Amino acid sequence: MSGPGVRRTTWAALRARRRALGRLAGWSAVEALPALLGGMLVARAVDRGFLAGQFATGLAWLGGLAAAMLVGAAATGQVYRSLGAVVEPFRDELAARVVHGALREATRAGGRADSAAVARLTHQAEVVRDTFGGLVLVVRGFLFTAGAALLGLLALAPPLAGAVAAPLVVGLAVFAASLPAMVAHQRAQVTAGEQLGRSAASALAGHRDVVACGARERVVSDVGRRVTAQADAERTLARMAALRSLSLGVGGWLPVVVLLLAAPWLVRQGLSAGAVLGALVYVTTGLQPALHAVVQGVGGGGLRYAVTLGRILRTSPPPGPDNHPSPAAAASPVAVAPADPPPASTDVAPPAAAPVGGADGWAVELRGLSFRYGPHARPVLADLTLTVAAGEHLAVVGPSGAGKSTLAALVAGLVPADSGSVHLAGVPVAGTPPGALARLRVLVPQEAYVRTGSLGDNLRYLRPDADDATVLAAVRTLGAATLVTRLGGLDAELDPATLSAGERQLVAAVRAYLAPASLVILDEATCHLDPTLEATVENAFARRGGTLVVIAHRISSAARARRVLVFDGDRPLAGTHDDLLARSPTYRELVGHWEDVTPPTRVPLGRG
């Protein structure tokens, strides 16, 4: 086994089901009856029947073997019934342990929900269940089948029992000696797979930030290293199969060679031909299959069992009085703290956040814009023409999948258009370097990116020269003061995995607020915040100066905007909230389905 925890847990599970194991052992003994009698009955059929010219007698002995096989087959069904009484309760105990551990982590002070618990509860617990049942089957099968074959061989030809048992023991010793290395390589393979999964998931979740920062080559290289490590671990694990083949060769096939080579000498010493054939039956139908099953079972499923169970034990403490969450911990909030009312005097305007437009005063200008995902896909946007004035507040609404986030990505320059053009403040997005685009616009996606490091470094990411007073004023303006205080101030070190989705969105919102770019695009960037805090954030951006485009998550976001773009069928419509209620059936339907339909107080804007 892989460690003391795995061994203790396994033995505890077996000891707790001694009665079920006793039934399993009893039926296994009956199932092994053909292995015990097979060689002896074949020897009698040959010596006393066929070689003696008594054909009927030989058939009668073989009939006895057939009867023993029928009895063994009937016992096999009972073996599997008894196995369920051992395996299923163990699986239930593991499931309870995983659920308890996940709830304890999620409800303790400073804890967080563990999404990996779902994998442990479903995939990993089922792997342990299946491999535990397989291990019990193959180990008890080896003990009873190999033991019965050796006993039969000892009764048939005592000298042969020792000659056959010696290479069997050597083969088992080779296999046992290689098990620690096999476990280590299996664990390395599992770890490499998990690291690859985390690396790929991080790259996919932050792909828009990766593109915007020009870090594609570095991220691809990092994921490529994980892929190579996973492939190397798989190849090493495959090479370990050679040790299993060596064990099978020594313990399973060497006895056959010994028996065949020794057969002439044994016959000259008085051993009958039937006894030699019976010994061969014991080796080929009893010992060899039993050894093959235990080596393949322990070397394959056993390694997965040890590694997977060890992982569950490390991440899920056993239920007990010392592991139950305290009432205070269970009651501690895990959501984003309520917004602090932002004092009007704390608004912070970044140096370049004043409205900036092109020669015609447009902050965003789309001309004949078309885009589709693939040459044969249906167009997401078709010949879209839209202008957004400098200083304007535009909300974009529509059904899920209508193309709102695609529009945000096209405006931000993260994906190229199939046709048409995008200009930001008169600058064409196509062909503009990422650094120059970053000075024109900032995009906050739904899945906000927070990196490991200090909170202050995260907030200053787009404006490194901002002093503490400027950063803290922005924090208060966006209602993030409670969060900053809870985290320990601007110098606190962040672990992104410990932040909720809403907390990450709040950090990203402050970062974007401080950015020097005039155009801010919020792509459902407040969907994990409560409505009050969402209103605080959007109102702060509306007062910030510059141009604001909001991909709306709630109808209140549309009602706060000066102008709304609704994806209404194939042709998006633009207008005010009241205008679209009269003109657009899609907009009326969205308003009817969203809960907070009462328009909030509008924030005065500079120019329309």
Side-chain angles (χ1 to χ4, degrees), residues 2 8 87 145 151 224 236 259 313-314 379 410 423 440 508 525 538 558 569 588 596:
S2 171
R8 282 196 301 269
V87 173
T145 302
L151 285 177
T236 302
L259 185 58
L313 297 180
R314 286 193 299 274
L410 287 165
H423 286 74
L440 296 173
E538 290 186 8
R588 287 196 298 272
D596 49 337

Side-chain angles (χ1 to χ4, degrees), residues 369 378-384 402 566-573 586:
L369 195 66
R378 179 180 179 275
V380 180
L381 298 174
D383 196 27
L384 174 64
V566 58
F567 280 78
D568 190 349
D570 295 331
R571 305 301 301 178
L573 294 177
T586 300

Side-chain angles (χ1 to χ4, degrees), residues 421-514:
S421 64
V422 179
H423 286 74
L424 301 183
V427 178
V429 167
T432 302
L437 279 179
R439 290 189 290 272
L440 296 173
R441 55 89 181 111
V442 58
L443 169 67
V444 185
Q446 179 178 349
E447 298 300 329
Y449 175 73
V450 177
R451 64 184 178 89
T452 301
S454 72
L455 176 59
D457 289 343
N458 270 279
L459 299 179
R460 293 187 182 94
Y461 183 71
L462 299 176
R463 190 177 170 187
D465 59 342
D467 56 26
D468 286 357
T470 301
V471 174
L472 291 174
V475 165
R476 290 190 295 271
T477 299
L478 274 79
T482 302
L483 174 63
V484 173
T485 301
R486 184 182 72 76
L487 294 176
L490 298 181
D491 294 330
E493 289 296 314
L494 287 188
D495 178 3
T498 63
L499 298 180
S500 70
E503 289 168 336
R504 290 194 296 272
Q505 285 189 335
L506 204 51
V507 170
V510 175
R511 178 196 300 152
Y513 187 86
L514 288 167

Side-chain angles (χ1 to χ4, degrees), residues 77-131:
Q78 298 300 323
V79 164
Y80 280 95
R81 290 189 179 91
S82 302
L83 180 68
V86 176
V87 173
E88 295 302 331
F90 181 47
R91 189 261 182 202
D92 294 342
E93 290 175 359
L94 285 179
R97 179 168 182 157
V98 170
V99 171
H100 176 274
L103 291 176
R104 175 176 176 268
E105 172 63 21
T107 56
R108 71 176 176 84
R112 62 186 178 90
D114 183 10
S115 59
V118 177
R120 290 194 292 274
L121 182 62
T122 55
H123 176 68
Q124 293 184 11
E126 289 303 318
V127 167
V128 171
R129 169 189 175 275
D130 293 342
T131 52

Side-chain angles (χ1 to χ4, degrees), residues 23 87 126 261 289 389 411 516 549 560 583:
R23 289 195 299 271
V87 173
E126 289 303 318
L261 293 176
V411 171
V549 176
R560 274 188 289 269
R583 294 173 55 204

